[in-house]
Amino acid sequence: MKITLKTELCRRLGIRYPIILAGMAGGPTTAGLVASVSQAGGLGTLGAAYMNPDQIREAIREIRKITAAPFGVNLFADRSADDYRRFAEVKPVLNSLRASLGLEPADTPPAPASYTLEEQIEVLLEEQVPVISTAFGPLPNDYRQAVRKAGLITTTMVTTVQEAVIAEEGGSDVIVAQGGEAGGHRSTFDVSSLPQGALIGTMALVPQVVDRVKVPVIAAGGIMDGRGVVASLALGAQAAQLGTRFLTAAESGAHPAYQKALLQSTEESTVVTRVFSGRPARGIKNEFVRRFDESGAEPLPFPAQNAATREIRNASARADNPEYLSLWAGQGTRMLTAGDRAGDIVASLVKEAEELLKG
């Protein structure tokens, strides 16, 4: 098998190199970071899951002011409504955490989000975003025909072979195989019977997905350098997706305290937890995780838990305190560097990969 950086997926996406920026929600993927990765020849992805429609539109237009290169936008396909029926059970531990940051107790659940997934998708269609990617499931049926008619490409992140088959049958153009090493939310479609999400490693997951689907596959999870890119291609993927590697880039929107925690962490620092959002996600274990786990309280389901913990996380950020932030990270943090420009990271990945392929 001949391994090359010029894959068919690169041609289809209109990019020079098989490097994809993960769509990390919550602020890290600034317009500057997305545009820089795309400008350098990869595919930048805006993590827009927690952004309202106006914020998404503004970010898309900001990206386009910086670059004419293709980019993507990532959303969460989980359309569950906020479920606060067990709020009284988690209220004591949440209020204890709030008190640690000087916040007043919260006796009632927060207000629900004022926007819907459908409204977010409408913006992507109106703005003709080249690539629409989803986590937690494929793009909803209602929009597949409209997206295909518009000539836009859809990608779905999966954590098992079965999910990959479901995504392909549902019309996904590209599959992102997310190994258990990946930081952030596990993209497992149904976590009702898998509280930690599926955790098959990247090395095992990618070739099995490649063998079962006909659409291109992107490898994700623990990839931090050119060696990981080449390994992804050797496993049959047509590109590698990296998230954690870009969290400490100069253009990253990750809070400085978050970046410092990343740079001080190791491969043993992360755990998969549901205490921040209600869905399993990999991040650095901190005081928030320890205290919630010790309380014995069962987190609220997603997205209610995410909304119930948001004010705590925001207060922690204001205090430059990483102990109550959701410090999403993969298992390759020893390979992080501080303050590199995103374009230089892409160039370094490509150079390392090319040297390996020549050798």
Side-chain angles (χ1 to χ4, degrees):
M1 177 178 70
K2 181 177 169 132
I3 302 174
T4 173
L5 296 184
K6 304 297 182 184
T7 67
E8 175 59 23
L9 182 59
C10 287
R11 184 200 64 75
R12 188 170 181 185
L13 295 176
I15 59 179
R16 299 195 301 279
Y17 307 118
I19 309 293
I20 315 294
L21 169 68
M24 298 173 285
T29 52
T30 61
L33 179 58
V34 174
S36 293
V37 171
S38 289
Q39 192 70 21
L43 183 79
T45 308
L46 176 71
Y50 298 131
M51 299 169 71
N52 67 42
D54 288 341
Q55 291 170 328
I56 294 174
R57 194 185 306 277
E58 181 181 353
I60 290 169
R61 293 181 177 179
E62 184 62 30
I63 292 166
R64 284 182 165 143
K65 285 179 185 176
I66 303 170
T67 183
F71 64 95
V73 175
N74 178 264
L75 298 174
F76 291 162
D78 187 336
R79 293 186 280 183
S80 303
D82 289 325
D83 181 357
Y84 289 111
R85 284 175 294 180
R86 292 191 299 100
F87 182 72
E89 297 175 23
V90 301
K91 185 169 69 171
V93 63
L94 290 176
N95 281 341
S96 171
L97 294 166
R98 293 173 68 90
S100 298
L101 292 164
L103 296 173
E104 293 296 319
D107 293 324
T108 57
S114 58
Y115 54 88
T116 64
L117 173 62
E118 286 75 10
E119 290 170 328
Q120 292 175 315
I121 294 172
E122 287 291 350
V123 172
L124 307 192
L125 286 167
E126 290 166 8
E127 295 292 329
Q128 292 290 284
V129 171
V131 180
I132 299 176
S133 67
T134 57
F136 310 156
L139 193 72
N141 285 329
D142 326 2
Y143 286 94
R144 288 175 192 164
Q145 187 173 351
V147 168
R148 192 167 294 280
K149 185 176 179 181
L152 310 181
I153 294 172
T154 60
T155 77
T156 303
M157 188 156 61
V158 307
T159 59
T160 67
V161 172
Q162 183 182 19
E163 290 173 351
V165 172
I166 291 170
E168 182 181 40
E169 290 175 347
S172 297
D173 299 306
V174 182
I175 302 296
V176 180
Q178 184 198 38
E181 302 93 327
H185 282 99
R186 306 301 304 145
S187 193
T188 303
F189 293 1
D190 181 5
V191 295
S192 58
S193 60
L194 287 170
Q196 297 296 94
L199 291 170
I200 299 99
T202 306
M203 181 73 73
L205 179 63
V206 172
Q208 294 186 83
V209 170
V210 168
D211 288 348
R212 286 296 302 275
V213 300
K214 294 183 175 64
V215 299
V217 175
I218 297 170
I223 303 166
M224 300 289 286
D225 60 10
R227 291 172 296 180
V229 174
V230 172
S232 300
L233 300 176
L235 292 173
Q238 293 195 32
Q241 178 170 288
L242 298 83
T244 304
R245 181 65 184 89
F246 289 96
L247 284 172
T248 55
E251 301 93 334
S252 169
H255 192 280
Y258 180 4
Q259 296 193 36
K260 183 177 179 181
L262 286 167
L263 293 165
Q264 293 176 343
S265 68
T266 75
E267 74 283 0
E268 298 180 272
S269 299
T270 66
V271 294
V272 176
T273 180
R274 293 183 296 123
V275 301
F276 287 107
S277 72
R279 262 190 168 269
R282 183 178 294 283
I284 296 171
K285 188 172 185 177
N286 58 7
E287 188 68 10
F288 187 112
V289 176
R290 282 189 287 271
R291 288 176 59 180
F292 207 104
D293 285 349
E294 288 168 2
S295 76
E298 178 74 9
L300 298 171
F302 178 88
Q305 180 77 4
N306 186 72
T309 63
R310 182 178 294 117
E311 194 173 0
I312 296 170
R313 290 178 278 122
N314 289 344
S316 190
R318 289 193 298 270
D320 293 324
N321 182 354
E323 291 301 324
Y324 300 89
L325 292 174
S326 49
L327 304 172
W328 303 142
Q331 291 182 315
T333 54
R334 285 188 194 267
M335 292 184 275
L336 282 170
T337 54
D340 291 342
R341 304 294 300 180
D344 292 336
I345 294 175
V346 173
S348 175
L349 292 165
V350 171
K351 182 180 179 183
E352 290 171 2
E354 287 178 337
E355 287 176 351
L356 283 168
L357 293 175
K358 284 177 186 175

